[in-house]
Amino acid sequence: MKYDFDIPKLVEATIPAFMRGVRQVDWLTALTHPVSFIHNAFSNFISDTNKRLKWNGQSISIKYLLQDKYPGNFEIINQNLTARPFFIYGSGDTRNPSVFNSGSPLNPVAREVNEFDPDAVDFIINAPAIAVPDEPTKDEVVALVKQYKLHSKRFKINIA
């Protein structure tokens, strides 16, 4: 969600054109300084909260699980996906849902163009090449992560 707005620009836009003198704009900008201070504090709070929400116990547990099982230092980079998709199940197959992120849970809008990004992932695992030397080992790591991750989370493994 966007919380940004420019208070000096807002002050200038709300004053009638014949009253837009330097003194009036500076005076109203000074009067709105407390609002600007509160807005900056709120924006910093939202930014810090979003950074903290990236990490959850599940991704930290998966990191230590992989480091216990394989040699090397695994790194997990959490993505903060703000647009959460809705899961719409097809009429015949409840195991393969269609995913869309518009509408509401009670009245979803299905099959809109460019509404769902299939390449977006919730977390990225950077695996060392020493731990994942070949394709069967990568498949083993993928299976292990799939076993312990939350069902709705998507991930990608990069081998460095």
Side-chain angles (χ1 to χ4, degrees), residues 9-150:
K9 186 176 179 182
L10 181 67
V11 165
E12 193 170 326
T14 55
I15 299 175
F18 65 91
M19 294 181 69
R20 284 189 195 151
V22 175
R23 232 187 262 162
Q24 287 86 359
V25 172
D26 288 345
W27 178 67
L28 287 174
T29 303
L31 286 177
T32 57
H33 181 72
V35 175
S36 179
F37 177 77
I38 292 171
H39 174 260
N40 289 337
F42 178 73
S43 295
N44 291 338
F45 170 74
I46 292 295
S47 171
D48 292 343
T49 302
N50 284 337
K51 285 178 189 173
R52 279 190 284 123
L53 287 176
K54 282 187 197 179
W55 287 99
N56 56 27
Q58 177 227 0
S59 59
I60 294 169
S61 298
I62 288 175
K63 176 181 176 180
Y64 290 124
L65 172 75
L66 291 172
Q67 286 180 350
D68 284 344
K69 185 151 175 79
Y70 300 99
N73 188 15
F74 285 82
E75 180 186 9
I76 293 184
I77 302 168
N78 286 295
Q79 306 293 317
N80 195 5
L81 299 179
T82 54
R84 288 285 172 218
F86 293 115
F87 292 93
I88 304 171
Y89 292 91
S91 58
D93 189 8
T94 58
R95 289 177 290 171
N96 295 320
S98 299
V99 183
F100 302 94
N101 68 349
S102 61
S104 70
L106 298 176
N107 187 18
V109 177
R111 308 224 185 273
E112 285 187 8
V113 179
N114 296 329
E115 280 300 317
F116 176 68
D117 184 8
D119 298 329
V121 293
D122 292 297
F123 60 94
I124 299 169
I125 300 173
N126 289 330
I130 210 166
V132 188
D134 52 4
E135 198 62 34
T137 310
K138 183 178 179 182
D139 293 341
E140 193 177 300
V141 170
V142 168
L144 184 66
V145 171
K146 282 184 178 179
Q147 180 181 0
Y148 287 101
K149 74 174 183 67
L150 295 175

